[in-house]
Amino acid sequence: MEKDMQQIEDTHESKQQREIDEHFMRRCLQLAVNGMRNAKPNPMVGAVIVSEDGRIIGEGYHVRCGEGHAEVNAFASVKPADEPLLSASTIYVSLEPCSHWGKTPPCADLIVSKGVRRVVCGTIDPFAKVCGRGVQRIREAGIEVTIGVLEKECIALNRRFMTVNEKHRPYIILKWAQTLNGIIGPNLKISTPFTRMLVHKLRTENEAILVGHETLLDDHPKLNVRHWVGPEPERIVLSHSSEDVPEGFHQFDNIDAVLSHLYDEGRQNLLVEGGAITLQGFLDGNLWDEIRVETAPFTMPDGTHAPALPNDAQLVNSQVYDGNVIRKFVRASI
């Protein structure tokens, strides 16, 4: 009976600790998103330092590539009066602390030097120079480490960084706009002024954008971000001929050449805007991570049909703007 009661108490404490860990890891994720624009090609990371009595005494995020990581900024934010509390504190980090010298010193060494009691990581860093070494170094110093708190959310936050390091290619988003009966062209005006603005916002969030030669000839797209404020993506045309390719566009013969170029240049993401042949080429090669489809509330009797969604495409978001439905799909395994 006493043994059963002890098991119940242990289970309750374990559940309570898990809830506490998830609470502070969510704060890490909130902080990490602030680095979306400037942290790349590094991952977005947030860190929170919590004292023994449950009070946040420090927090930070990776602001800009080449500058202090999330852990560095979190420790720097701790007030002098709270520094004696570090030895009994827990630091929460959405991604495993780095263990190598890059543009900044190893965060694992910093954590060890600060002598915190416990470290909680959202997920392991897939980068070859880290990949478990940060956790190992911290554990060898006698510090307790917990891994995998809100792991799915932490991986999703840095899905582009993860893809580059695990698949050695950029994260690929396929996007097209279609009528209610699945017609995408040619020369159809499907997006509304508002949804067109959202497309340009999406372009600022990607480092490269690609169309095929037929789309270039039919639509003469500028592929810029004139309806939003942000960085212009690299403009790429998939074509066997350099004829008719405007100045400022880069031409490649095949998809593999495009992906190799982007990987070598450190580009983490690619937005593919069609048309049907180009989109199907990526789908046939199983080269996609996310699909976004905008559907207008009208039909067309004929035209070019949109590609069929892959069997493993899982709907994760659906929004309606000006009557148009924008759906976002990811792989069902994510």
Side-chain angles (χ1 to χ4, degrees):
M1 186 64 169
E2 290 181 1
K3 184 178 180 180
D4 291 341
M5 288 300 296
Q6 183 62 49
Q7 288 177 339
I8 291 173
E9 290 176 5
D10 291 345
T11 300
H12 175 72
E13 290 178 2
S14 176
K15 180 181 178 182
Q16 186 178 43
Q17 185 60 62
R18 185 169 64 251
E19 290 174 349
I20 292 171
D21 289 347
E22 290 180 355
H23 170 76
F24 289 115
M25 190 59 69
R26 287 192 182 92
R27 178 57 181 162
C28 289
L29 292 169
Q30 288 177 338
L31 291 165
V33 172
N34 291 312
M36 179 180 292
R37 178 61 58 84
N38 297 316
K40 58 189 177 183
N42 288 352
M44 294 175 280
V45 183
V48 175
I49 304 170
V50 181
S51 64
E52 189 175 25
D53 62 359
R55 181 168 58 91
I56 293 178
I57 60 174
E59 59 181 26
Y61 66 95
H62 185 35
V63 178
R64 186 173 289 103
C65 180
E67 298 182 4
H69 290 186
E71 301 93 324
V72 174
N73 294 330
F75 280 118
S77 74
V78 177
K79 296 178 181 178
D82 288 331
E83 287 187 359
L85 304 176
L86 288 176
S87 61
S89 295
T90 297
I91 181 168
Y92 294 84
V93 191
S94 55
L95 186 69
E96 176 187 10
C98 65
S99 57
H100 66 292
W101 279 85
K103 294 181 180 179
T104 59
C107 290
D109 289 351
L110 174 64
I111 289 172
V112 170
S113 71
K114 293 294 185 179
V116 297
R117 180 183 65 83
R118 181 170 176 251
V119 177
V120 179
C121 300
T123 188
I124 294 294
D125 188 339
F127 183 52
K129 292 184 178 180
V130 185
C131 203
R133 294 179 180 87
V135 166
Q136 180 181 357
R137 186 172 301 181
I138 294 168
R139 282 178 170 160
E140 287 174 350
I143 298 173
E144 178 187 348
V145 180
T146 299
I147 304 169
V149 175
L150 296 186
E151 183 172 31
K152 184 177 180 180
E153 291 87 342
C154 291
I155 291 174
L157 174 70
N158 282 305
R159 57 194 179 277
R160 301 178 180 192
F161 174 80
M162 300 288 184
T163 298
V164 169
N165 283 279
E166 292 173 352
K167 299 182 178 180
H168 305 291
R169 65 160 175 79
Y171 185 89
I172 300 170
I173 300 176
L174 307 183
K175 187 198 77 66
W176 68 82
Q178 64 181 32
T179 64
L180 198 58
N181 59 331
I183 301 297
I184 65 172
N187 301 316
L188 281 178
K189 300 299 182 183
I190 292 175
S191 297
T192 71
F194 184 79
T195 62
R196 192 174 304 118
M197 180 186 70
L198 294 181
V199 170
H200 286 232
K201 177 179 181 294
L202 179 63
R203 289 176 180 176
T204 69
E205 297 167 359
N206 287 271
E207 295 169 289
I209 182 171
L210 179 147
V211 295
H213 194 233
E214 293 303 317
T215 298
L216 185 72
L217 294 180
D218 290 342
D219 298 341
H220 305 289
K222 295 180 180 179
L223 304 184
N224 58 22
V225 293
R226 60 193 179 278
H227 297 305
W228 196 258
V229 177
E232 300 274 356
E234 178 181 351
R235 294 175 292 178
I236 295 174
V237 177
L238 194 63
S239 172
H240 293 293
S241 172
S242 59
E243 294 183 10
D244 303 315
V245 176
E247 183 179 355
F249 284 68
H250 295 161
Q251 178 261 331
F252 291 89
D253 292 339
N254 58 73
I255 293 174
D256 287 342
V258 172
L259 300 184
S260 294
H261 161 74
L262 294 176
Y263 181 76
D264 291 343
E265 291 295 316
R267 305 276 197 268
Q268 289 193 348
N269 37 61
L270 170 65
L271 178 62
V272 181
E273 291 202 4
I277 295 175
T278 299
L279 290 165
Q280 193 62 55
F282 279 86
L283 290 170
D284 290 344
N286 201 29
L287 295 169
W288 69 277
D289 300 288
E290 185 178 316
I291 298 174
R292 301 196 185 197
V293 181
E294 178 178 352
T295 303
F298 62 86
T299 62
M300 293 293 291
D302 52 42
T304 303
H305 286 269
L309 289 169
N311 292 332
D312 58 345
Q314 177 183 356
L315 179 66
V316 293
N317 188 270
S318 180
Q319 300 287 336
V320 180
Y321 303 101
D322 298 332
N324 283 14
V325 180
I326 298 179
R327 296 175 295 162
K328 174 181 173 181
F329 301 85
V330 299
R331 292 184 184 274
S333 58
I334 293 181

